[in-house]
Amino acid sequence: MTTTEAHPSDPARPDDHGAARARLLADPGLGGAARRTALARLTDGWLAGLHRDAGAPAGTALVAVGGYGRGELSPRSDLDVLLLHDGPIDPRLPERIWYPVWDSGAALDHAVRTLDEARAVAADDLKAQLGLLDARHIAGDAALTASLRSTLLADWRAGAAGRLPELQQLCTERAERHGELSFLLEPDLKEARGGLRDVVALKAIAATWLADAPRDGLEAAAARLADVRDALHLTTGRATERLSLQDQDQVAARLGVLDADTLLRQVYEAARTITYASDVTWRAVDRVLAARSNRGRRLSRIAFPFSGTGRGSGAVAKGAVERRPLAEGVVEQDGEAVLAQGARPAQDPVLPLRAAAAAAQAGLTVAYATVRRLAAETRPLPVPWPDEAREQLITLLGAGEACLPVWEALEAEGLITRLLPDWERVRCRPQRNAVHRWTVDRHLIETAVRAAAMTRRVARPDLLLVAALLHDIGKGWPGDHSEAGEVIVRDVAARMGFDKTDTDTLALLVRHHLTLVDTATRRDPDDPATVDAITKVVGTLPHLELLHALTEADATATGPAAWSSWRASLVGNLVARAAARLTGGVSHPPAGDPTAEQERLAVEAARTGGPALSLHAHTETGSTGTTGTEPMGVELTLAIPDRPGLLGTVAGVLALHRLTVRSASLRELDPIDAGPVLLLSWTVAAEYGELPEAARLRADLRRALEGSLDVARKLAERDAAAPRRRGIATPPPVVSVAPGASSSATILEVRAHDAPGLLHRIGRALDAAGVRVRTAHVSTLGADAVDAFYVTDAEGLPLAADRAVQVARAVQEALG
């Protein structure tokens, strides 16, 4: 064995350091904080050797700053290093240190400064100042490094009143750019709100001695995010902070976590801990800075609101701070809800809900120490709940947006899962659907927030708010979440003290919270069977009103792609028809009652033998009760003498003109005994915002119908000429027959990834199958199309069962 093999080589040599680093990272017994510390120490030794070998004179020091200064060196982290000196140095000295680092391939962020220069940079650049707060000595003159640390900390504390608002703004802007870590499917572990940058900000706040963050769970949360980042670096081999979807399974496996969903839940839980600590700390900072500007207030009373766990709940000596009553046992103090001096949490199990409801209704949050005390001292609610507890929950939910920070405070201390044990299963549960903005639990409370704005539309707002809070409570259980949720909500409602009638109503709302949207976008509203299906589900007009409000609240809380004026109009139209049926009115317009515009177009088409059309902006009154109207695209009314292949041809021409079909209906008229005319009413939107001229659209329709314009070939040529983009793997299309859904036609449902020309391909397949399309209902949600086609045979009758299956199979084959 050679000497080199028997003993470690000089760590100052890049190749030897690289080998030692590789061995350290490959050590299966070393991970987490221990590995980060070991990696920092190994790097310290290497850089110290470089400093020595470079011939650095006295009066110089090599200093680690930023994350490296904190000893938190991840596998692919940059090396943030400062060469500090107190006098003239050889200009070539820095290069003798930096070049070996560059040669090794390590990412280096370096600077050469005197103490005064470092102070000047910190004064001008907040980010640089934050990095220097974590300065740590590596090599050289330790006294010089100590002087740097003490001077910069003194500067930071002296300038805290001006720097902290700047830091807060920096955090806010970063959150706006990168989003909230606890809700993102591909989160940035460092920059997103609740990420590692916020941990650094909390440490910087603590260094001012003005306020400190809640410490419970904070260190563990930061360590968890750092562990995930380490695993991400090792998995990808890159210095990335974004936990992308394609890497999550491998990162989970490297960490020994069950699967990607479990990994995301752990990340979300850590992020929420950090976010809550940040919110509490920044509120404390605001109070401290406000108190500093108020000479009559003693700063020491509120500078450290998190240091004790006594009975004070944020209270101070009698008469020191103004306290305004909010509810029994609850007062306002310093812009927060705290417990009154005579409150007895141990004897008042409703107090947490009462304090929360009072705070939300007043637009406040509950003080950190108050929530801590409530969690520690309050007994669980009896079962069934007292009436007051149920009323306070409704009051809390009814506060709308003001409910959110209060709910988050209760959840951070475990009070929500104590009230609702079933909440634990949906807490921090990711939703791997691009339509959804939130985790399951946040979506539920967001739905309640939106439902709070609709309580004037229903006779039982309490049931609406509770149904909104619990409508997805079945997610995470096997099977259909609506069916599972119905079972769970019956148990929860009984525990809350609702009677049987109200429990049945809540169960109906949870079981059918998707029914209105599904029916409105997939069924023909003119078919009596469609309205019958809804009236049988709801049974009564009050139930219909509740389900309508819940449907809108759920969709608007999901995300922009889940609700639009077009979708709202479909649901509203269906609800109006069902309401008319429930109250004895007519549920749909009588047949054979076209508008004057439709009659005019039908007569023109019959007279000329060609297409007649009109284009005009399509608007609907806002569904939330507003008096304004919102553009919903363009309404295209087209009359054409009936002939085979119309749907596919017309859809193809619309696709050529880059018009996206949002809804479609077909109707047969016989205006002047000159043969039937097919009336097609479409709602379309221009793909790039510019509508085609009506004359040009009419000319292309005429050419396509005459055969001089080969629509399929033109579409294929355009697709071939378009630049190829790497797409995502999507599920194959599914075409199915909806049995018994209509008595006058056969309904084919098509679910596919939306793409230009999709409706054209479907129409061509139906035309080739020899069936007539009586009505088409087109619905697009995000990247998915869910369409329903009412088809008949040549005699206008529903298809035989085997024939319907054959047609469905032909359409599916045409879609590939």
Side-chain angles (χ1 to χ4, degrees):
M1 181 179 293
T2 66
T3 302
T4 302
E5 294 171 332
H7 303 284
S9 299
D10 185 350
R13 293 178 56 189
D15 52 347
D16 295 329
H17 168 72
R21 183 179 182 277
R23 288 194 298 271
L24 187 153
L25 294 178
D27 185 350
L30 194 62
R35 180 172 57 203
R36 289 188 291 275
T37 299
L39 188 56
R41 288 177 178 172
L42 177 66
T43 305
D44 287 351
W46 177 41
L47 293 178
L50 294 177
H51 180 267
R52 180 191 67 237
D53 293 348
T60 64
L62 205 57
V63 183
V65 298
Y68 181 28
R70 293 187 297 273
E72 300 170 357
L73 200 55
S74 291
R76 293 288 176 175
S77 290
D78 291 352
L79 301 180
D80 296 332
V81 183
L82 169 64
L83 179 59
L84 191 65
H85 60 99
D86 62 1
I89 60 171
D90 182 351
R92 294 171 296 179
L93 173 63
E95 294 182 354
R96 292 198 292 267
I97 300 174
W98 308 147
Y99 268 107
V101 180
W102 291 327
D103 290 342
S104 73
L108 178 66
D109 189 355
H110 60 88
V112 181
R113 294 189 179 104
T114 64
L115 178 58
D116 289 342
E117 289 171 343
R119 293 183 69 189
V121 169
D124 290 338
D125 187 340
L126 177 59
K127 294 181 180 179
Q129 188 172 30
L130 293 175
L132 288 168
L133 289 177
D134 295 308
R136 180 174 57 82
H137 185 69
I138 298 176
D141 189 342
L144 191 59
T145 302
S147 178
L148 173 72
R149 284 184 51 82
S150 60
T151 301
L152 288 175
L153 279 171
D155 290 346
W156 175 246
R157 288 164 186 153
R163 281 300 202 176
L164 288 181
E166 187 181 351
L167 176 58
Q168 188 174 23
Q169 180 64 25
L170 197 66
C171 293
T172 300
E173 292 172 354
R174 178 165 39 80
E176 291 173 352
R177 287 194 306 272
H178 297 280
E180 296 194 55
L181 176 53
S182 53
F183 304 122
L184 297 170
L185 279 176
E186 293 188 308
D188 188 307
L189 301 170
K190 188 175 184 179
E191 303 292 344
R193 183 170 185 255
L196 293 169
R197 286 282 192 204
D198 281 340
V199 178
V200 175
L202 290 175
K203 291 179 179 179
I205 295 170
T208 65
W209 292 350
L210 296 183
D212 196 7
R215 292 296 173 182
D216 289 344
L218 182 58
E219 184 176 345
R224 188 56 183 165
L225 292 187
D227 290 347
V228 175
R229 180 175 64 171
D230 289 357
L232 180 61
H233 285 189
L234 293 172
T235 296
T236 63
R238 296 181 289 108
T240 179
E241 313 295 339
R242 185 169 299 280
L243 185 59
S244 61
L245 291 173
Q246 64 264 28
D247 297 324
Q248 289 173 9
D249 286 320
Q250 290 176 276
V251 171
R254 185 176 287 274
L255 291 171
V257 174
L258 178 63
D259 54 26
D261 276 4
T262 304
L263 172 68
L264 277 184
R265 291 191 76 173
Q266 292 181 358
V267 168
Y268 293 164
E269 288 170 352
R272 289 195 189 181
T273 298
I274 295 168
T275 298
Y276 179 59
S278 298
D279 290 343
V280 170
T281 305
W282 282 119
R283 287 199 298 269
V285 168
D286 291 341
R287 292 197 302 273
V288 170
L289 297 182
R292 279 194 160 190
S293 65
N294 185 348
R295 295 180 180 179
R297 182 167 294 184
R298 290 179 59 192
L299 177 62
S300 60
R301 294 189 181 276
I302 55 176
F304 294 97
F306 320 123
S307 57
T309 57
R311 299 184 58 80
S313 305
V316 297
K318 184 177 180 179
V321 178
E322 181 182 357
R323 297 159 70 88
R324 184 172 66 88
L326 293 175
E328 182 183 353
V330 188
V331 299
E332 177 186 353
Q333 175 185 305
D334 288 323
E336 295 181 318
V338 302
L339 296 187
Q341 292 178 352
R344 297 292 181 266
Q347 302 170 19
D348 189 355
V350 182
L351 187 55
L353 281 173
R354 190 185 311 120
Q361 288 292 328
L364 307 172
T365 190
V366 185
Y368 171 75
T370 295
V371 182
R372 295 274 293 169
R373 183 179 170 194
L374 290 171
E377 298 183 23
T378 308
R379 294 180 289 107
L381 285 168
V383 177
W385 289 8
D387 290 345
E388 185 198 358
R390 191 170 60 254
E391 292 167 1
Q392 294 294 348
L393 175 63
I394 301 304
T395 303
L396 170 62
L397 298 176
E401 290 285 348
C403 168
L404 288 173
V406 177
W407 188 273
E408 290 170 351
L410 299 183
E411 190 169 51
E413 297 300 330
L415 284 167
I416 296 300
T417 50
R418 183 188 300 181
L419 291 168
L420 303 169
D422 297 287
W423 195 260
E424 180 61 29
R425 199 173 187 97
V426 297
R427 189 175 62 85
C428 293
R429 179 173 290 278
Q431 304 201 76
R432 294 186 177 275
N433 185 326
V435 172
H436 278 277
R437 295 181 57 193
W438 311 107
T439 54
V440 177
D441 58 334
R442 180 59 181 265
H443 169 69
L444 291 176
I445 190 63
E446 288 282 347
T447 303
V449 165
R450 282 153 179 78
M454 306 174 189
T455 52
R456 300 297 183 268
R457 292 165 46 177
V458 297
R460 291 293 304 273
D462 56 336
L463 298 182
L464 171 62
L465 291 168
V466 173
L469 182 69
L470 300 175
H471 72 278
D472 277 347
I473 199 70
K475 286 190 173 179
W477 291 89
D480 187 319
H481 78 276
S482 298
E483 295 178 1
E486 179 185 5
V487 175
I488 296 170
V489 81
R490 286 186 179 278
D491 177 63
V492 174
R495 283 190 272 123
M496 287 182 173
F498 286 103
D499 61 25
K500 184 180 185 305
T501 299
D502 289 348
T503 297
D504 288 343
T505 299
L506 289 170
L508 181 150
L509 293 174
V510 172
R511 175 65 182 87
H512 292 286
H513 69 271
L514 298 176
T515 297
L516 282 180
V517 165
D518 287 348
T519 304
T521 56
R522 302 177 187 179
R523 298 290 179 261
D524 181 4
D526 294 328
D527 190 338
T530 301
V531 177
D532 287 343
I534 296 300
T535 56
K536 288 177 182 178
V537 165
V538 297
T540 68
L541 187 59
H543 285 170
L544 177 64
E545 293 172 342
L546 283 168
L547 190 60
H548 186 195
L550 176 60
T551 299
E552 184 173 336
D554 179 22
T556 54
T558 297
W563 197 247
S564 63
S565 293
W566 167 71
R567 190 173 293 271
S569 71
L570 292 180
V571 173
N573 181 49
L574 177 60
V575 169
R577 292 166 184 255
R581 177 71 61 82
L582 290 170
T583 55
V586 179
S587 64
H588 59 279
D593 188 21
T595 66
E597 174 74 1
Q598 290 173 337
E599 286 185 337
R600 182 188 68 79
L601 293 173
V603 169
E604 179 182 346
R607 186 180 67 250
T608 63
L613 63 86
S614 67
L615 283 169
H616 61 84
H618 185 59
T619 60
E620 287 288 344
T621 300
S623 63
T624 57
T626 60
T627 57
T629 59
E630 178 182 347
M632 295 173 57
V634 172
E635 188 172 282
L636 167 63
T637 304
L638 177 66
I640 307 177
D642 197 8
R643 69 187 73 184
L646 270 181
L647 177 62
T649 300
V650 173
V653 172
L654 296 180
L656 277 178
H657 284 267
R658 299 191 182 278
L659 293 174
T660 300
V661 179
R662 300 172 67 176
S663 66
S665 65
L666 289 77
R667 180 180 192 176
E668 190 174 276
L669 299 179
D670 193 0
I672 53 176
D673 298 326
V677 171
L678 199 63
L679 187 71
L680 300 95
S681 297
W682 309 73
T683 299
V684 299
E687 185 177 346
Y688 298 117
E690 295 186 2
L691 291 169
E693 295 181 358
R696 182 179 176 187
L697 183 60
R698 183 187 297 110
D700 283 349
L701 284 169
R702 184 183 298 276
R703 291 170 57 210
L705 293 171
E706 292 172 350
S708 60
L709 174 62
D710 189 337
V711 175
R713 182 176 62 82
K714 287 289 186 181
L715 286 173
E717 290 174 353
R718 190 179 71 183
D719 290 343
R724 293 298 173 188
R725 299 173 183 173
R726 187 175 62 180
I728 59 171
T730 59
V734 175
V735 182
S736 59
V737 181
S742 173
S743 60
S744 59
T746 297
I747 301 177
L748 297 181
E749 282 196 345
V750 179
R751 302 182 183 186
H753 185 72
D754 192 31
L758 175 66
L759 186 57
H760 167 65
R761 296 198 300 274
I762 295 172
R764 289 190 66 195
L766 293 173
D767 294 338
V771 298
R772 296 182 58 195
V773 181
R774 196 188 75 186
T775 304
H777 295 278
V778 177
S779 173
T780 304
L781 182 60
D784 296 316
V786 181
D787 303 338
F789 299 88
Y790 284 63
V791 301
T792 66
D793 59 17
E795 284 72 37
L797 299 175
L799 305 181
D802 56 347
R803 174 72 173 138
V805 172
Q806 291 175 358
V807 173
R809 185 179 300 117
V811 174
Q812 182 154 338
E813 291 175 354
L815 296 181

